[in-house]
Amino acid sequence: MDTELSPEMASQVLRMLTGGGSLDSINTPLALRLIPLAQELEDSDLVEQLLNHASKVASTDEERGWARFEALKVVDASLESYTRLAEEAEAIEGGQSLTAAVHHYVALIYLADGRLDEARATAQRALQLRQVTEDKEGMSYGMALLMNIAKRQYDEHTAISVGTERLELLIALRDEPGQMKALADLAHCQATIGEFGAARDLFNRSLDHAKNLESLSGQLVARWGLADLAEIEQDYESAMLVLSDSLHEFIAQNATAPAPLRQRLKDLTELQNQQTGEQAKE
């Protein structure tokens, strides 16, 4: 569901839609969208009921494929089950969205298993299908996955190329939270190859978005990266200042600052004092 619901509200919505024999009026797409809600409420019986209903009322091969895909995820099926479904989905007329989703999921499994070549090839196939259907949101997810795989393969140049394309797409979609994250991802890649000036610019742009969104996590990621760059240059004072700004934001919003942030500020203070002492001796 796109809108966050409290457990009480979620339970009411499910009772309204599935109670009193009204399940028969629910089609396959709606039944599948209700499953995550039932899972959040840890109602395994309702999950099974929705899965069975989604499969029973499916009116096309594609809908039956989506129902089967969701069922495989619920039972934590084997990799072979997913690859078999992907092969079968390729033959479904108009089933590119389903096929792309399954390939994307398979790529995630390969990535988790450390099978990076298979993950990359499968993710690329998923992205190609999403480009055909012009599923721009799906393309964004696919590019993020490819970028992650490329970084795991130490192929930073490909990661930067894919990440830049993803950022352009997110700008076109006016997705500010996505832009915030994409800019930080690109900044990390640029820093990895020694392009510290480009990385600093990207982190600052990510920080601007994070401030607009009042995202504490986004601000911390950007400021942490800026502190890394400052520390590489042994500018411990600048690193301390940028992280102190992040700490102040947590305090201002009455939120608990992460322990690693406080620890790093403590470590930087010690480094700064050590550096000051060495300079005084000179």
Side-chain angles (χ1 to χ4, degrees):
M1 302 290 283
D2 294 331
T3 303
E4 291 187 7
L5 298 174
S6 67
E8 294 77 12
M9 284 290 293
S11 181
Q12 289 178 15
V13 170
L14 281 172
R15 282 201 303 270
M16 179 182 68
L17 291 172
T18 64
S22 63
L23 192 64
D24 291 340
S25 64
I26 295 176
N27 61 18
T28 296
L30 179 55
L32 295 178
R33 283 179 62 81
L34 291 174
I35 287 172
L37 202 55
Q39 289 174 320
E40 288 180 17
L41 296 173
E42 299 182 351
D43 191 337
S44 58
D45 291 338
L46 181 55
V47 169
E48 184 177 357
Q49 184 182 3
L50 287 166
L51 279 172
N52 291 335
H53 179 76
S55 180
K56 178 182 176 182
V57 301
S59 58
T60 66
D61 288 340
E62 183 182 9
E63 286 190 351
R64 280 185 281 275
W66 281 111
R68 182 176 162 197
F69 181 35
E70 193 63 40
L72 290 176
K73 289 189 287 184
V74 168
V75 301
D76 195 20
S78 65
L79 173 62
E80 291 72 19
S81 298
Y82 291 108
T83 55
R84 192 180 308 116
L85 175 59
E87 292 171 1
E88 294 174 9
E90 291 275 4
I92 297 176
E93 184 177 354
Q96 291 96 333
S97 295
L98 168 63
T99 309
V102 179
H103 279 305
H104 185 100
Y105 197 84
V106 169
L108 288 171
I109 296 174
Y110 280 136
L111 179 61
D113 289 344
R115 298 168 63 177
L116 302 182
D117 290 339
E118 293 99 324
R120 185 163 180 163
T122 310
Q124 286 173 332
R125 176 57 180 157
L127 180 57
Q128 290 168 355
L129 289 165
R130 284 168 167 162
Q131 289 169 335
V132 170
T133 59
E134 298 184 350
D135 175 7
K136 293 183 178 180
E137 184 176 352
M139 287 164 59
S140 172
Y141 293 138
M143 290 173 186
L145 176 57
L146 271 176
M147 185 180 184
N148 188 16
I149 295 168
K151 287 193 293 184
R152 287 277 298 273
Q153 293 178 314
Y154 304 103
D155 185 358
E156 299 295 336
H157 292 288
T158 295
I160 290 170
S161 176
V162 173
T164 301
E165 187 178 358
R166 177 183 176 227
L167 176 60
E168 292 170 352
L169 175 61
L170 292 167
I171 291 172
L173 292 173
R174 298 183 180 180
D175 181 348
E176 190 168 11
Q179 292 174 53
M180 175 188 73
K181 296 174 183 176
L183 285 162
D185 287 342
L186 275 172
H188 282 116
C189 290
Q190 293 285 7
T192 299
I193 64 173
E195 294 291 342
F196 300 132
R200 184 173 288 107
D201 176 65
L202 290 164
F203 276 130
N204 278 318
R205 288 171 61 190
S206 179
L207 180 58
D208 288 341
H209 284 294
K211 289 178 179 177
N212 290 338
L213 295 165
E214 297 184 349
S215 170
L216 287 175
S217 60
Q219 291 181 52
L220 178 59
V221 169
R223 287 190 168 114
W224 195 277
L226 289 168
D228 285 341
L229 297 176
E231 195 168 348
I232 288 171
E233 297 170 345
Q234 295 187 332
D235 184 356
Y236 304 123
E237 183 177 359
S238 293
M240 288 171 56
L241 288 173
V242 73
L243 290 177
S244 293
D245 287 341
S246 193
L247 178 61
H248 294 154
E249 284 294 331
F250 277 95
I251 295 172
Q253 294 194 32
N254 197 30
T256 303
L261 173 60
R262 294 184 179 277
Q263 183 61 49
R264 189 171 184 189
L265 280 167
K266 179 182 177 182
D267 294 341
L268 283 167
T269 300
E270 294 176 356
L271 285 170
Q272 173 67 7
N273 291 338
Q274 181 181 345
Q275 186 182 61
T276 302
E278 291 174 353
Q279 290 174 346
K281 290 179 182 179
E282 295 176 358

